[in-house]
């Protein structure tokens, strides 16, 4: 599985949020995602920018795209838990020789 960029993670994060909130996948459009990324992620992206990230996510096989007429719809193929676990494992491998315990000991909660 290819790694996600921060921007791709922001976009797929909004899709996961929509799915968790019960938004129908037919309502998860590029326009919807542009609005949500700008509102929730503090971005000021144009639709073309989000479209580029969506294309990357489809190519990396994190998303499935379906087209009905002129509209494109997106749903996830990879769950949030799987991606979070991979990110944490990669961080532990890179910074702590693979030790999740050492990584967790570094985390300070407020």
């Amino acid at each position: 599985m290819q790694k996600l960029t921060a921007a791709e993670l922001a976009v797929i994060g909004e899709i996961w949020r929509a799915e968790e909130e019960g938004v129908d996948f037919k309502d998860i459009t590029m326009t919807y995602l542009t609005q949500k990324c700008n509102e929730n992620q503090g971005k000021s992206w144009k639709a073309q920018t989000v479209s580029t990230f969506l294309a990357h996510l489809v190519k990396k096989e994190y998303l499935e795209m379906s087209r009905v007429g002129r509209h494109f719809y997106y749903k996830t193929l990879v769950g949030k838990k799987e991606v979070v676990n991979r990110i944490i494992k990669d961080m532990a491998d890179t910074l702590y020789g693979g030790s999740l315990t050492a990584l967790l000991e570094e985390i300070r909660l407020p």
Side-chain angles (χ1 to χ4, degrees), residues 38-53:
N38 290 342
E39 287 175 5
N40 298 333
Q41 304 285 336
K43 306 295 183 188
S44 56
W45 289 338
K46 305 284 187 223
Q48 185 59 46
T49 303
V50 174
S51 177
T52 299
F53 297 136

Side-chain angles (χ1 to χ4, degrees), residues 14-34:
E14 290 303 328
I15 298 172
W16 286 324
R17 183 185 319 235
E19 290 175 345
E20 289 167 358
E21 292 173 355
V23 176
D24 188 275
F25 90 98
K26 290 181 181 174
D27 294 326
I28 304 174
T29 62
M30 184 177 53
T31 302
Y32 173 89
L33 290 170
T34 302

